[in-house]
Amino acid sequence: MPKPNKGPRLGGGPAHERLMLNQLASQLFEHKRIQTTETKAKRLQPVAERLVTFAKRGDLHSRRRVMRQILDKSVVHELFTEIAPLVENREGGYTRIVKTGFRKGDRAPLAVIELVLEPVSPKPKAEKPAAPVAEETTEAPAEETTEAPVEETTGAPAEETTEAPAEAKAE
């Protein structure tokens, strides 16, 4: 879990904040989305994403590391068997925070944090830049050969000398 920043914590002390974030992560994995204050959602996001990364590994050591933070075995089982396969191709960004407004009682800003479980469609743009790199290397020698003769023929003194006798012959 990320080290708490200096200053006021969510609960009272760092131990209470850690317990609260672990419980929020457990509820997030159980319900797939939860509504909480914006501050708690922002503090929960790196914790939840780290746990999902462990679940994607899927080995026994990762399961035991997750169980240090999430004490409910059924939630850990759901994380490893249901959530991890859905985000297997995703390289990060397993959670999404959407601001929803303000709480009625104390006007605290609320947000919904949810798991992003939609399948990832690879962008075709990622493949195109790799192909032009190879084309550029094949085109580069052709461009150099075309540039060299252009420089020789565009020399000002050579053109003037060839044009001057041609003008003299035409007169």
Side-chain angles (χ1 to χ4, degrees):
M1 185 171 132
K3 182 180 175 184
N5 299 328
K6 289 185 176 180
R9 307 294 196 284
L10 291 177
H16 186 253
E17 180 181 9
R18 192 167 41 251
L19 289 170
M20 191 172 9
L21 290 176
N22 291 342
Q23 191 61 33
L24 280 170
S26 175
Q27 294 299 313
L28 176 65
F29 298 139
E30 185 177 352
H31 299 291
K32 309 295 189 274
R33 67 183 324 195
I34 56 173
Q35 183 172 10
T36 183
T37 62
E38 190 177 321
T39 308
K40 286 181 184 177
K42 286 181 179 180
R43 296 298 291 264
L44 172 63
Q45 192 169 20
V47 175
E49 294 203 4
R50 187 162 183 253
L51 293 173
V52 172
T53 304
F54 281 130
K56 281 176 60 176
R57 290 185 197 166
D59 59 345
L60 182 62
H61 181 64
S62 298
R63 187 177 290 261
R64 287 180 176 164
R65 287 191 66 174
V66 169
M67 288 187 71
R68 285 187 209 162
Q69 293 182 326
I70 298 178
L71 304 177
D72 190 0
K73 289 183 181 180
S74 63
V75 174
V76 174
H77 179 72
E78 184 176 350
L79 175 63
F80 275 77
T81 58
E82 296 176 16
I83 296 172
L86 293 174
V87 296
E88 183 178 17
N89 297 328
R90 190 173 293 274
E91 294 184 5
Y94 310 117
T95 57
R96 174 188 304 140
I97 296 176
V98 180
K99 298 178 184 178
T100 58
F102 297 93
R103 194 160 44 200
K104 188 175 180 182
D106 59 354
R107 300 273 303 162
L110 294 177
V112 170
I113 182 167
E114 59 188 1
L115 293 172
V116 181
L117 300 176
E118 294 89 27
V120 177
S121 58
K123 294 182 181 179
K125 294 180 183 178
E127 297 173 2
K128 290 181 182 177
V133 172
E135 292 174 7
E136 290 176 10
T137 57
T138 58
E139 292 176 6
E143 291 175 5
E144 291 175 332
T145 56
T146 57
E147 288 177 5
V150 172
E151 291 175 8
E152 293 174 8
T153 58
T154 58
E159 289 179 13
E160 291 177 16
T161 57
T162 56
E163 290 176 11
E167 290 177 5
K169 289 179 186 177
E171 292 177 14

